[in-house]
Amino acid sequence: MPRLPLDNHKPTAKNLSLQHSLDRADDRDRPPGFVIVSLRHTLLSWYGQFGRDLPWRQSRDPYSLWVSEVMLQQTQVKTVMPYYERWLNLFPTIEGLAIAEQQQVLKAWEGLGYYARARNLHRAAQVIVSHHDGVFPDRLVDVIQLPGIGRTTAGGILSAAFNQPVAILDGNVKRVLARLVALQMPPNRALADLWQLSEVLLDQQQPRDFNQAIMDLGATVCTPHQPLCPICPWKEHCQAYNQGIQAKLPMSETRAPLPHKSIGVAVIWNDRGQILIDRRRQEGLLGGLWEFPGGKVEAGETIEACIQREIREELGIEIAVGDRLIVVDHAYSHFRVTLNVHHCRYISGEPQAIECDEVRWVTLADIDQYPFPKANVQIIDALRTKD
Ligand code: SF4
């Protein structure tokens, strides 16, 4: 095993014994070192006492566990819970999900963000029906080929559903392991080593509980800020804690500030009191979701001129731009937007789906049937409260 980039400025007997044990553990013919045994034992005992009681935890159904794993990829447990219950009511089986309309799937996901997760769940369900007779596969090589399932999600599902010894490395686990070995670089630059560490530590007899336990440790004790080291089952062997540097780890990447885009957005009304909405193209950010049309404000352009130009280019119609309805600030993972939303009046032309998949006139009463991104939901709320 390559030596992890530990902080060697303050070596202690515990640090050395941990690294030594990990080095030894690379030789699969030998039993793991006593530190590894101790880490497994203390973590599993702690989990037996303090593990979280989560709705999917008692399940052995790979489909339910898969849904929970995907929902938890970028979202907190308390946000996921109602979505999880609702999803399984709407789509109780893989077959049920596979035959659902994409719009129905996106609507069930509305508000959770990162909509590619929902599209991938849908597509993967169709692959399971067509390639695996509707039965979730139990081999890592098959699972990892499904859309939207990476190595850690596959490990989470296979260990939880089938008690298979497949390691995981989600955000929580990365943080815990980086602190355990006092990693002196951002975790994403040491992924191969962290994967290896996760595999070495994994309890081969109780992989299900071990993976759940290390996730819980990261979520409830080894938290991003102010980890609760005095009550941590790993404090004896944790290098960050023993060196007093746990609050400084894991090291973070230096990030450039997120770019910002100013967007002009139109709520276009016709004479019948309907609003024009469009469905975004499948490929790309928020694909398949509905939105109020608009686009990026060019340099030197007013919001009103931007809206008029964008609507002409994207939908081929003429409008009159009226009062401002609302300004919405929203951050995505790689950029921020400010939506400058104006009421507009339809004047002429037949709306065409020039830069989208579909356009539709809808009433405010019917608009809830369509899945919208979070920032657009604020526009709908404003329409309801300000009308
Ligand atoms: S001792 Fe502290 S830093 Fe180390 S694993 Fe436990 S909570 Fe995290």
Side-chain angles (χ1 to χ4, degrees):
M1 176 185 214
R3 183 163 290 268
L4 282 158
L6 310 178
D7 178 0
N8 288 325
H9 299 299
K10 299 173 190 169
T12 66
K14 282 171 188 156
N15 295 352
L16 294 173
S17 63
L18 175 60
Q19 182 69 60
H20 178 65
S21 297
L22 297 175
D23 288 346
R24 280 173 57 87
D26 194 40
D27 185 344
R28 305 295 162 130
D29 294 326
R30 297 186 199 172
F34 73 93
V35 174
I36 294 171
V37 172
S38 167
L39 288 168
R40 289 174 181 164
H41 176 72
T42 51
L43 182 63
L44 287 168
S45 306
W46 172 85
Y47 179 66
Q49 234 185 320
F50 301 108
R52 291 176 296 176
D53 182 18
L54 302 174
W56 43 86
R57 201 147 263 176
Q58 301 313 320
S59 174
R60 300 290 178 261
D61 167 34
Y63 170 58
S64 317
L65 292 161
W66 168 36
V67 171
S68 72
E69 284 286 337
V70 172
M71 285 186 171
L72 289 165
Q73 276 170 3
Q74 269 114 350
T75 313
Q76 292 193 334
V77 164
K78 68 174 186 305
T79 310
V80 162
M81 280 191 190
Y83 279 92
Y84 172 77
E85 305 286 352
R86 213 164 43 233
W87 184 278
L88 291 181
N89 282 330
L90 277 170
F91 315 114
T93 62
I94 292 174
E95 289 86 352
L97 176 59
I99 60 171
E101 292 290 327
Q102 190 197 52
Q103 291 296 292
Q104 201 189 354
V105 172
L106 291 174
K107 187 70 193 170
W109 201 269
E110 190 182 68
L112 266 186
Y114 299 98
Y115 290 84
R117 294 182 292 173
R119 291 194 301 273
N120 283 332
L121 268 169
H122 191 210
R123 278 202 296 133
Q126 293 165 345
V127 171
I128 293 171
V129 167
S130 59
H131 289 66
H132 302 284
D133 295 328
V135 178
F136 195 92
D138 62 0
R139 297 189 322 155
L140 180 61
V141 64
D142 295 326
V143 175
I144 215 146
Q145 283 182 15
L146 294 170
I149 298 190
R151 191 171 163 191
T152 197
T153 303
I157 300 167
L158 290 171
S159 60
F162 306 113
N163 206 24
Q164 288 183 18
V166 188
I168 57 170
L169 191 67
D170 68 358
N172 279 331
V173 178
K174 277 183 207 168
R175 180 173 62 257
V176 174
L177 297 185
R179 286 173 173 159
L180 181 68
V181 297
L183 185 67
Q184 292 302 299
M185 62 173 64
N188 284 345
R189 296 199 207 163
L191 286 180
D193 286 338
L194 291 175
W195 267 112
Q196 203 165 0
L197 180 55
S198 184
E199 283 169 354
V200 167
L201 292 176
L202 180 64
D203 189 299
Q204 300 293 307
Q205 269 67 51
Q206 301 180 68
R208 172 188 292 132
D209 286 350
F210 185 90
N211 279 346
Q212 298 299 319
I214 194 169
M215 281 193 276
D216 275 14
L217 188 71
T220 64
V221 175
C222 195
T223 48
H225 307 291
Q226 300 178 325
L228 307 172
C229 303
I231 61 161
C232 176
W234 278 4
K235 67 175 186 282
E236 187 189 344
H237 298 295
C238 176
Q239 295 188 26
Y241 178 57
N242 285 296
Q243 294 171 32
I245 56 172
Q246 66 273 21
K248 296 187 184 138
L249 298 181
M251 289 186 166
S252 51
E253 302 277 358
T254 44
R255 283 208 187 130
L258 292 179
H260 175 256
K261 296 178 193 174
S262 184
I263 310 286
V265 177
V267 175
I268 306 169
W269 296 90
N270 66 14
D271 292 343
R272 285 168 287 159
Q274 294 171 312
I275 303 165
L276 192 60
I277 58 174
D278 71 79
R279 186 156 56 83
R280 293 176 66 92
R281 292 225 163 115
Q282 280 294 321
E283 54 285 351
L285 184 74
L286 308 172
L289 292 172
W290 292 82
E291 66 176 5
F292 297 96
K296 189 166 164 246
V297 180
E298 303 290 354
E301 195 176 38
T302 64
I303 304 288
E304 288 83 354
C306 158
I307 291 174
Q308 212 147 28
R309 175 184 55 74
E310 286 285 346
I311 298 307
R312 195 178 293 133
E313 289 171 3
E314 288 187 11
L315 305 174
I317 61 172
E318 293 301 324
I319 56 167
V321 180
D323 293 343
R324 190 170 71 187
L325 169 67
I326 188 175
V327 176
V328 179
D329 287 308
H330 190 75
Y332 294 99
S333 52
H334 293 93
F335 63 94
R336 292 181 303 115
V337 290
T338 299
L339 306 182
N340 305 279
V341 188
H342 281 245
H343 285 290
C344 300
R345 188 167 51 81
Y346 167 76
I347 297 178
S348 63
E350 186 60 31
Q352 302 159 50
I354 298 169
E355 292 190 17
C356 57
D357 276 353
E358 191 180 347
V359 290
R360 212 174 269 197
W361 290 105
V362 296
T363 64
L364 201 47
D366 289 340
I367 211 163
D368 287 339
Q369 296 168 15
Y370 301 86
F372 281 86
K374 211 172 194 170
N376 276 234
V377 171
Q378 288 188 55
I379 300 173
I380 296 169
D381 290 345
L383 282 168
R384 292 225 162 92
T385 51
K386 293 185 181 178
D387 268 21

